[in-house]
């Protein structure tokens, strides 16, 4: 038993008579004065398991009730050096239980679980060397373009074409667990997609009680795994049969059954889920509007993850034929604005193995650049927060301009063009503000990171605090280079840039 | 005297006593039964000129009235082989008076006239080999970033700091005319910008009568030059002192004084001018929303010119640091959608000579690609019109989807995702429709041109008429190559593409 590693108690008995999900098995774990209630699950063939994830390394007492009764105490070892514990949202950031910062560099392999074992092995081998630390994958199989293969098994038994959600297919769940644990060993979070609309088997037409039986088994079984995330759905708003209150209920139910408090969110097609929901840990978005990050951070006070922002690839669908640079550019914008992002890859393949849903090998040029960004950000002494860019981020741009015009200290004081802007419509203002957007992050007064995106400017400015000196690097997001150009910068500085797309300026405060 | 070449009658007398603009000199020209009334102008030192642009090659009778009286008749020669006559808008297209198609491949040298002669000569030399056939240039000097040089002369006399618009500075107008004629020899339209807000001398604060005096001299003097266009303003909506009805009055007044009917429009900062104005020949836009072309063509029934869509360059302003590819991409989208576009270049320069306002040499990589596009389009047997892309261009996308869902012959018949789309908001629909946009033009059933822009698809489809065969070329907009891949295509065809940005498919119907 070690801190941050799943501790389990196994019991052998008779298989359940009725529901194989709703079994009468519960336990209380107590560690460092904190009591945690968990429920057990049937793992097949009369094998029952109770699981607990120690978040502390003090001795652990437990008491099992129901079908089996037992109690005991075990010592709990310290965490292994590469185990940091489950990820949680703390304010607008993710951190592991041990306080280690977590920047979510995701990728997407939707139907990873529903491929042949050899392909899953190839996918895992790829992930071993890829830069990603989160994978989005579906519990249920996927039916969509390039995704027509029948899965070898489902999560629940199918009897006469209908699923019996009280009867898990244990070999499926064993395999799922194996893969989640394998991901954990690779340092990768398993962002489990619980529902999705791309279905031909009936999972998109489940009724509400069926959904809750499924979620019951899911949480009993997987909550004690350290690297699990709950993504209620991919494109929840396309599941027309699922009323809005269902999702609220699913979230509440998972929260009640998951003592660890894994990250939980819900991913949209067009309409963002309501992330003010108290059970939502973060904003999970299908969107490439990375300039909205700051607004979302302010509005919800939770981390913002661009979980689907288009894929590097060459399929005819416009969301699946981004250039590598375009995806890398979106990653930079998401992270420098204080968010997180998820990759995907959709290259046509003779065997119809597209990474985005089936895995296999990565063919694109974006992963290396994403890895470069990840290393760069992880080397910084904290998490970026967006630098408010004034006008472009103002709640009321008209009011902002009015104040600047009247402020003798402002560069806009009395400016006639800005005077004019007070007379334009809101829609015109929105269009104009596009030109005032900057992608600019900071870590307190220690770090400034400004990313110029597709702008090919040959001059970049930074407004550094004038009470310290900074070392400034010019960073090339595509060529993955970083070159120090100033070691003593202070106050407002102007730096010569190569005038290429994908350029950033990084300023780090020198030690006093 | 030749068709499409300015014919002028010169008279020597006393300089005007009062206004040097409102001189009592008019003439009637009659050719092929068509009578044209013109007014003359004072060209300095008591020299008076009456001008006429013959649009026919039949004998021309004329009668001069006012300060000078004379009448006569001259034979009029046929047009020289490279003179096609003034450009006019016919429906949504531009054509020269002789029927030759005109695709406006513009560039921008705002303050061309206000530079030293040696620089103007360099600019003209550059234009000689550049692909552009329209130049936007200002009558009044410009005061803006990188534009601080004082002009050597103004269009009107300045007395005690105030301009007297009844006193043209003749040497300025002579120089202007020289440059317009020089442009004409290069086959370039002079898109004259009559007002603009970037001013420190007082031109942006003229009163309405002053404006009309200026326009009176302008039209008397320049209307008979074949290659003149009237752009009422650059960014008219930033001229806060100019009430909306002024612009309507300016247009009406120019139309009344310009017997040739040169193209006339008004260019915006944020708010498009009302192009339904009967005196507007075309839509002149500051915008890069090229996907709006089709809507504008339908709404106004006039040519659409993206006269300012950002500039290739490397200055810090976001509108002035587009990559060459980005500008080329915008050109392709404008033209394939049935519009026209204007180039500009803003590279930092030790001498502050940026092409976009001062001219000099072109440094960028876009002009060659723009030239490639121009040659390709001019080689086609007509003008492109947009292929309606269905949903993305529907007036009412909800209604469009409703009909498709109910149509058993539609690929969308009963589609659940599209069923869902009936429930979304208008704003959500707008966001979603971005994915349905195609850049697709046609010339009747003779030509199809589909441009994939930044999409890196490796498969492109064309829906060709099935009653003919077509030759299909894969075109690379950046590398300027064109490669025939099919010679007998018909109906719905799918073509392998390189999966790079800037790829187009061109299908031309084979002769029967």
């Amino acid at each position: 038993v070690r801190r941050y590693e799943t501790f389990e108690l196994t019991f052998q008995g008779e298989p359940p008579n009725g529901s194989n999900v709703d079994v009468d098995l519960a336990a209380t774990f107590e560690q460092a004065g904190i009591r945690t209630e968990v429920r057990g699950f049937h793992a097949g063939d009369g094998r029952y398991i109770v699981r607990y994830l120690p978040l502390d390394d003090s001795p652990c007492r437990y008491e099992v009730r129901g079908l089996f009764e037992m109690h005991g105490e075990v010592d709990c070892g310290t965490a292994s050096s590469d185990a940091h514990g489950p990820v949680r949202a703390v304010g607008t950031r993710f951190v592991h239980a041990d306080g280690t910062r977590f920047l979510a560099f995701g990728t997407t392999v939707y139907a990873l679980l529903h491929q042949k074992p050899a392909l899953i092995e190839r996918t895992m081998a790829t992930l071993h060397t890829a830069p990603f630390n989160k994978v989005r994958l579906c519990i249920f199989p996927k039916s969509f373009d390039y995704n027509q293969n029948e899965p070898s098994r489902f999560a629940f038994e199918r009897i006469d074409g209908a699923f019996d959600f009280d009867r898990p297919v244990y070999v499926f769940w064993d395999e799922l667990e194996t893969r989640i644990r394998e991901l954990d060993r690779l340092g990768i979070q398993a962002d489990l997609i619980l529902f999705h609309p791309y279905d031909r088997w009936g999972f998109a037409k489940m009724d509400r009680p069926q959904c809750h039986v499924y979620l019951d088994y899911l949480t009993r079984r997987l909550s004690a795994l350290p690297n699990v995330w709950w993504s209620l759905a991919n494109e929840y708003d396309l599941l027309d049969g699922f009323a809005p209150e269902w999702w609220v209920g699913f979230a509440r139910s998972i929260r009640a059954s998951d003592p660890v408090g894994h990250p939980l969110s819900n991913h949209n097609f067009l309409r963002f889920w309501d992330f003010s929901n108290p059970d939502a840990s973060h904003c999970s978005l299908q969107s490439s509007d990375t300039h909205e990050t700051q607004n979302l951070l302010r509005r919800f006070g939770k981390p913002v993850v661009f979980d689907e922002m288009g894929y590097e690839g060459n399929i005819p669908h416009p969301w699946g034929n981004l250039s590598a640079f375009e995806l890398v550019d979106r990653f930079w914008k998401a992270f420098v604005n204080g968010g997180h992002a998820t990759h995907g890859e959709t290259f046509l393949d003779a065997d119809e193995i597209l990474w985005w849903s089936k895995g296999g090998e990565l063919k694109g040029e974006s992963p290396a650049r994403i890895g470069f960004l990840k290393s760069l950000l992880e080397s910084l002494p904290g998490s970026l927060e967006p630098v408010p860019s004034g006008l472009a981020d103002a709640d009321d741009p008209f009011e902002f301009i009015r104040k600047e015009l009247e402020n003798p200290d402002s560069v806009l004081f009395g400016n006639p063009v800005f005077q004019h802007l007070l007379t334009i419509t809101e829609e015109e203002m929105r269009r104009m503000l596009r030109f005032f957007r900057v992608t600019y992050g900071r870590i307190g007064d220690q770090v400034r990171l400004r990313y110029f995106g597709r702008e090919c400017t040959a001059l970049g400015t930074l407004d550094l605090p004038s009470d310290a000196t900074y070392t400034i690097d010019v960073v090339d997001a595509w060529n993955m280079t970083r070159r120090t150009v100033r070691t003593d910068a202070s106050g407002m500085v102007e730096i010569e840039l190569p005038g290429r797309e994908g350029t950033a300026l990084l300023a780090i405060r020198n030690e006093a």
Side-chain angles (χ1 to χ4, degrees), chain A:
Chain A
V1 182
R2 295 188 76 168
R3 184 178 191 165
Y4 305 144
E5 293 179 19
T6 310
F7 166 40
E8 66 181 36
L9 299 164
T10 305
F11 306 91
Q12 189 61 44
E14 291 300 309
N17 263 328
S19 170
N20 284 8
V21 171
D22 185 19
V23 296
D24 176 25
L25 185 62
T28 305
F29 291 81
E30 188 178 334
Q31 219 184 358
I34 295 170
R35 291 164 61 94
T36 303
E37 304 293 337
V38 307
R39 285 176 300 149
F41 63 94
H42 181 237
D45 298 324
R47 212 162 52 95
Y48 293 82
I49 302 179
V50 167
R51 285 181 177 160
Y52 170 66
L53 183 68
L55 300 181
D56 196 276
D57 47 26
S58 57
C60 175
R61 289 171 43 179
Y62 55 86
E63 186 187 335
V64 179
R65 300 178 305 276
L67 289 174
F68 307 91
E69 309 270 339
M70 95 183 268
H71 60 90
E73 176 168 335
V74 288
D75 282 337
C76 183
T78 56
S80 85
S81 62
D82 53 353
H84 301 288
V87 170
R88 277 97 172 262
V90 175
T92 57
R93 295 162 189 186
F94 289 117
V95 286
H96 286 278
D98 73 349
T100 304
R101 183 157 41 107
F102 179 74
L103 296 172
F105 280 85
T107 188
T108 310
V109 191
Y110 288 125
L112 183 149
L113 298 171
H114 307 101
Q115 309 310 318
K116 296 207 167 73
L119 176 53
I120 301 181
E121 292 303 331
R122 282 162 50 200
T123 305
M124 290 293 172
T126 301
L127 287 170
H128 189 67
T129 55
F132 307 112
N133 58 18
K134 179 166 90 69
V135 176
R136 285 179 64 74
L137 71 166
C138 299
I139 304 287
F140 296 136
K142 184 176 175 191
S143 180
F144 192 70
D145 300 351
Y146 315 108
N147 285 268
Q148 303 303 350
N149 59 315
E150 195 66 11
S152 58
R153 57 182 76 91
F154 298 104
F156 296 95
E157 286 186 25
R158 184 148 66 162
I159 297 153
D160 296 335
F163 288 100
D164 182 345
F165 293 95
D166 280 298
R167 301 194 160 273
V169 173
Y170 299 105
V171 60
F172 172 88
W173 291 89
D174 292 344
E175 163 76 7
L176 167 61
E177 249 178 59
T178 301
R179 298 310 177 181
I180 295 174
R181 290 177 197 271
E182 214 172 328
L183 291 172
D184 189 46
R185 282 194 295 277
L186 300 176
I188 296 173
Q189 306 293 310
D191 195 0
L192 301 177
I193 295 166
L194 311 186
F195 298 96
H196 69 265
Y198 300 103
D199 171 74
R200 63 171 180 264
W201 303 275
F203 298 108
K205 302 213 186 281
M206 288 164 69
D207 64 28
R208 196 174 180 179
Q210 289 174 328
C211 295
H212 279 278
V213 174
Y214 158 50
L215 296 179
D216 190 16
Y217 192 72
L218 181 85
T219 48
R220 284 171 182 252
R221 183 152 185 164
L222 302 182
S223 294
L225 273 56
N227 61 325
V228 158
W229 292 35
W230 313 116
S231 183
L232 296 187
N234 218 57
E235 304 189 338
Y236 83 94
D237 46 340
L238 279 182
L239 282 153
D240 279 314
F242 288 43
E245 64 271 21
W246 289 26
W247 302 107
V248 175
F250 295 166
R252 194 174 309 135
S253 161
I254 291 171
R255 277 282 169 257
S257 316
D258 161 21
V260 172
H262 293 288
L264 180 153
S265 194
N266 202 0
H267 162 280
N268 60 290
F269 174 58
L270 282 172
R271 193 173 298 174
F272 293 164
W273 197 45
D274 176 12
F275 303 113
S276 69
N277 184 310
D279 297 317
S281 58
H282 64 283
C283 307
S284 172
L285 312 174
Q286 171 161 197
S287 168
S288 55
D289 293 336
T290 49
H291 60 275
E292 293 291 343
T293 310
Q294 190 170 347
N295 289 341
L296 291 163
L297 290 170
R298 275 196 301 196
R299 185 160 151 220
F300 298 109
K302 298 177 180 182
V304 170
V305 186
F306 290 87
D307 265 323
E308 190 178 348
M309 48 192 342
Y311 309 120
E312 180 188 0
N314 65 7
I315 62 173
H317 295 295
W319 45 259
N321 57 36
L322 304 186
S323 71
F325 180 84
E326 178 65 31
L327 185 56
V328 170
D329 183 63
R330 294 181 186 188
F331 260 73
W332 271 81
K333 287 174 177 161
F335 280 96
V336 176
N337 278 315
H340 306 257
T342 297
H343 157 274
E345 189 182 284
T346 43
F347 283 102
L348 288 176
D349 181 88
D351 301 321
E352 290 223 334
I353 298 173
L354 284 67
W355 173 265
W356 132 91
S357 59
K358 295 187 183 170
E361 287 76 38
L362 286 163
K363 303 170 182 173
E365 297 179 283
S366 69
R369 278 81 188 176
I370 291 168
F372 172 75
L373 171 63
K374 181 165 176 266
S375 300
L376 186 142
L377 295 182
E378 289 182 344
S379 76
L380 300 179
S383 292
L384 290 166
E385 57 181 0
V387 177
S389 64
L391 182 54
D393 293 316
D395 280 330
D396 180 344
F398 294 94
E399 185 58 27
F400 183 96
I401 292 172
R402 202 170 291 120
K403 282 191 182 150
E404 293 292 305
L405 285 167
E406 291 166 4
N407 175 6
D409 297 330
S410 167
V411 290
L412 300 186
F413 180 63
N415 180 305
V417 170
F418 283 80
Q419 205 89 49
H420 168 77
L421 293 181
L422 294 179
T423 70
I424 67 178
T425 66
E426 293 206 4
E427 163 59 23
E428 288 166 341
M429 180 63 83
R430 246 195 311 277
R431 274 195 286 135
M432 204 224 33
L433 291 183
R434 291 191 294 201
F435 287 113
F436 288 83
R437 273 180 210 148
V438 292
T439 305
Y440 195 11
R442 72 174 168 210
I443 302 171
D445 275 349
Q446 289 189 281
V447 174
R448 290 275 192 288
L449 179 56
R450 183 165 178 188
Y451 176 62
F452 295 93
R454 289 203 177 268
E455 291 187 42
C456 300
T457 181
L459 282 177
T461 55
L462 290 177
D463 53 330
L464 302 171
S466 47
D467 59 355
T469 64
Y470 290 78
T471 295
I472 298 183
D473 288 4
V474 174
V475 182
D476 184 323
W478 183 254
N479 294 307
M480 301 181 278
T481 60
R482 181 174 165 178
R483 182 171 49 90
T484 298
V485 292
R486 291 280 296 274
T487 56
D488 60 347
S490 194
M492 184 64 80
V493 292
E494 192 175 68
I495 305 290
E496 278 189 34
L497 301 178
R500 268 199 302 276
E501 294 185 329
T503 300
L505 277 178
L506 173 65
I508 299 181
R509 192 170 63 183
N510 297 325
E511 297 298 321

